[in-house]
Amino acid sequence: MPKIVDHAARREEIAEALWRVVRRDGIRAASVRTIAAEAGWSAGAVRYYFPDQDGLLSFAMDLVSRRVTERIGAIAPKGSVPNIVLRYLDEVLPLDAERRAEFDIWLAFMAQAQAETGAGTLHTHTETVHNQLRELCTSLIRALADEGLLKDGLDVRREVERLHALLDGLALHAAIQPERTTPTRVRQLMRHHIESLLA
């Protein structure tokens, strides 16, 4: 009987090898050769799934976004709206090993995208992820507004921008100084912010 190969799983395995190389050695070290060695594959096998590096980088970035989206989609909307909002926000912050790895990759790709001239692959993907995060902030603030939970006079668009900036800032602090900006502290600050918006 022929061996059944799960091509989707193989592609994810290669992308995860890329993540490990980038986290350990930086994005410039992420060549087909180093990724193949990290995955325990031949360079030819990696090229079979990803004929060019742009395709591999795109897939690796998409995988970050897809995993976050899947976790958010799995949240059961039970409990108070503010608590549901906080559960959603938890999923985009580096609060455990998996989410720290995703944020490290996002940060490395974003830094490289800024160094690119023109609208390259990384620039396109980082902008897409950035826009998705803004959309999440918009939907969460609007959910609070639709339930009549926000203080009178708050500008919804401005609160979306503030929440987006707070998410970015807390994620960066947690990545740079994890001993100071612990998961407990991040959750406390995020809860304080959301509660400060409520009537």
Side-chain angles (χ1 to χ4, degrees):
M1 186 170 176
K3 184 179 178 183
I4 297 172
V5 177
D6 186 337
H7 293 291
R10 288 280 178 91
R11 289 166 68 86
E12 289 195 11
E13 187 180 328
I14 295 168
E16 288 170 351
L18 180 147
W19 288 8
R20 292 192 297 275
V21 169
V22 169
R23 291 186 79 200
R24 185 181 62 239
D25 304 320
I27 199 165
R28 292 184 185 278
S31 67
V32 170
R33 183 179 55 78
T34 58
I35 293 163
E38 181 69 27
W41 291 25
S42 69
V46 171
R47 286 195 185 93
Y48 171 80
Y49 288 99
F50 298 102
D52 59 66
Q53 193 172 26
D54 275 358
L56 175 52
L57 291 174
S58 294
F59 184 84
M61 190 65 179
D62 284 342
L63 185 59
V64 173
S65 180
R66 183 155 46 88
R67 289 193 175 169
V68 173
T69 301
E70 286 170 358
R71 286 199 307 270
I72 287 173
I75 293 173
K78 295 179 181 177
S80 69
V81 175
N83 282 338
I84 294 168
V85 165
L86 289 167
R87 289 207 308 274
Y88 276 91
L89 293 171
D90 264 9
E91 294 305 333
V92 295
L93 287 162
L95 301 176
D96 60 19
E98 179 182 1
R99 286 173 282 183
R100 279 193 299 275
E102 291 167 353
F103 183 74
D104 287 349
I105 294 303
W106 156 249
L107 200 58
F109 280 22
M110 186 173 63
Q112 183 62 28
Q114 297 306 307
E116 287 182 350
T117 55
T121 300
L122 290 180
H123 186 272
T124 300
H125 283 281
T126 54
E127 186 155 329
T128 297
V129 172
H130 190 72
N131 289 338
Q132 288 170 341
L133 186 56
R134 179 179 289 273
E135 287 168 14
L136 175 65
C137 292
T138 300
S139 68
L140 296 179
I141 294 294
R142 290 204 180 281
L144 294 170
D146 291 347
E147 291 293 320
L149 297 174
L150 293 181
K151 289 177 180 173
D152 289 340
L154 286 184
D155 182 316
V156 169
R157 284 191 298 182
R158 184 173 62 207
E159 294 310 325
V160 167
E161 289 184 18
R162 283 211 312 154
L163 179 58
H164 193 177
L166 181 60
L167 275 173
D168 283 345
L170 285 176
L172 188 60
H173 287 201
I176 292 171
Q177 290 189 311
E179 68 288 344
R180 174 177 293 201
T181 312
T182 63
T184 298
R185 185 60 177 152
V186 168
R187 287 188 172 105
Q188 287 172 342
L189 290 168
M190 192 56 74
R191 178 172 289 279
H192 175 75
H193 176 71
I194 295 301
E195 290 177 348
S196 76
L197 305 178
L198 304 180

